[in-house]
Amino acid sequence: GNKFNTPQGAVRFPWNFGNGDHVVPLTPSSSNGGWAMSPNQQCKPGGWCPYACAPGYYSAQWDPAATSYNGHGSMNGGLYADANGRLSKPFPDRPFCAPGMFNARIVNKLGRSVSACQTVYPGNEAMIIPSVAQAGGVTDLNVVPSTYWLGTSSQFYVNLAGSSEEQCIWGDDHSPIGNWAPYIFGGGEARDGNTYISVQFNPLYTSMGFKVSDAYNVKIQCTQGNCNFPPGGQCKCEQGQCSVNNGCTVTLPKGAKADFILY
């Protein structure tokens, strides 16, 4: 059990911190009570309730009837709560959280921590699932396999140095966090068996007038196997300019691994 906030009429989050399922509770004292929903949202009977997984793991549960990228079902991730608030696994033979590709990490060479905030999809698409690279540290990223929901990939909004999971929230135009963070990383395996990882400087960051000089630099570095880089042989963003306009993508064939280096 847990002592997480569960407003009247809401469905209680069934895990605590440190569980064996790799499930990570989010903002447990807010109305969402641990679910991968915005802090003012609740898991309600008769609805779908997404949950977050630890870095490198992905949620293997979603509405089997959700077959369109945007449309009613695109919010239906996680577990189903029936009319009595009883939770069920749509795919009983799958774990709650399954290991992803484990072929991309963030390596933080900076003096302060950085949080990468994955969007909940299927779900409300808020960037609230944290992977935090401590100063001088490393974190795995959840790069999903091609069997993930409708073949979609993972998207991360990557905050400025000095950030933690506290900044994995929907920001506003007063502070460069969440959807206004300086970087967007992507990653996912395609049906061709290759994994595609990408970095772009977030156009919202600059259009809001946030200072490019406040942001660090990013480069993708191959650590194993043969990574395929764009023409020019590199993929990096420095001072708000990327080596390919609007960001770049690196292809990781089976067996290849790469790091997003923050410097």
Side-chain angles (χ1 to χ4, degrees), residues 1-7 10-15 32-33 35 43 85 87:
N2 61 52
K3 296 199 164 66
F4 297 167
N5 184 29
T6 308
V11 179
R12 176 173 284 280
F13 189 71
W15 292 274
N32 65 308
W35 295 101
C43 172
L87 295 163

Side-chain angles (χ1 to χ4, degrees), residues 151-176:
T152 53
S153 55
S154 305
Q155 189 170 30
F156 306 85
Y157 286 82
V158 189
N159 285 312
L160 290 169
S163 54
S164 69
E165 62 267 9
E166 307 276 314
Q167 281 75 43
C168 284
I169 54 173
W170 199 279
D172 58 44
D173 53 15
H174 301 299
S175 56

Side-chain angles (χ1 to χ4, degrees), residues 35-247:
W35 295 101
M37 303 168 95
S38 293
N40 60 347
Q41 288 183 306
Q42 297 173 15
C43 172
K44 291 286 193 137
W48 287 87
C49 304
Y51 52 86
C53 296
Y57 289 80
Y58 67 94
S59 169
Q61 302 292 331
W62 56 80
D63 180 359
T67 54
S68 83
Y69 294 110
N70 37 29
H72 174 64
S74 64
M75 302 278 279
N76 297 353
L79 306 181
Y80 181 70
D82 70 11
N84 298 313
R86 275 195 303 260
L87 295 163
S88 62
K89 251 185 175 181
F91 299 104
D93 56 328
R94 297 183 192 169
F96 294 103
C97 295
M101 300 301 294
F102 277 98
N103 54 3
R105 312 181 300 171
I106 291 178
V107 175
N108 182 4
K109 307 266 196 191
L110 307 167
R112 291 186 294 165
S113 64
V114 171
S115 56
C117 310
Q118 187 191 343
T119 55
V120 184
Y121 189 58
N124 67 0
E125 295 193 65
M127 58 304 294
I128 54 180
I129 304 175
S131 297
V132 180
Q134 301 298 339
V138 175
T139 183
D140 287 304
L141 283 177
N142 165 27
V143 179
V144 290
S146 61
T147 51
Y148 189 63
W149 181 67
L150 303 186
T152 53
S153 55
S154 305
Q155 189 170 30
F156 306 85
Y157 286 82
V158 189
N159 285 312
L160 290 169
S163 54
S164 69
E165 62 267 9
E166 307 276 314
Q167 281 75 43
C168 284
I169 54 173
W170 199 279
D172 58 44
D173 53 15
H174 301 299
S175 56
I177 59 176
N179 48 314
W180 274 273
Y183 284 103
I184 303 170
F185 294 177
E189 183 195 31
R191 295 209 171 87
D192 62 12
N194 293 321
T195 293
Y196 296 88
I197 61 172
S198 62
V199 55
Q200 70 174 121
F201 204 80
N202 185 358
L204 269 182
Y205 180 89
T206 33
S207 68
M208 286 314 306
F210 296 124
K211 291 215 296 259
V212 171
S213 58
D214 288 346
Y216 44 81
N217 304 315
V218 177
K219 68 179 173 193
I220 295 178
Q221 188 168 302
C222 196
T223 59
Q224 184 179 309
N226 296 310
C227 310
N228 295 319
F229 284 83
Q234 57 182 4
C235 176
K236 65 179 183 181
C237 299
E238 293 183 330
Q239 276 91 52
Q241 296 293 318
C242 299
S243 50
V244 178
N245 274 345
N246 303 323

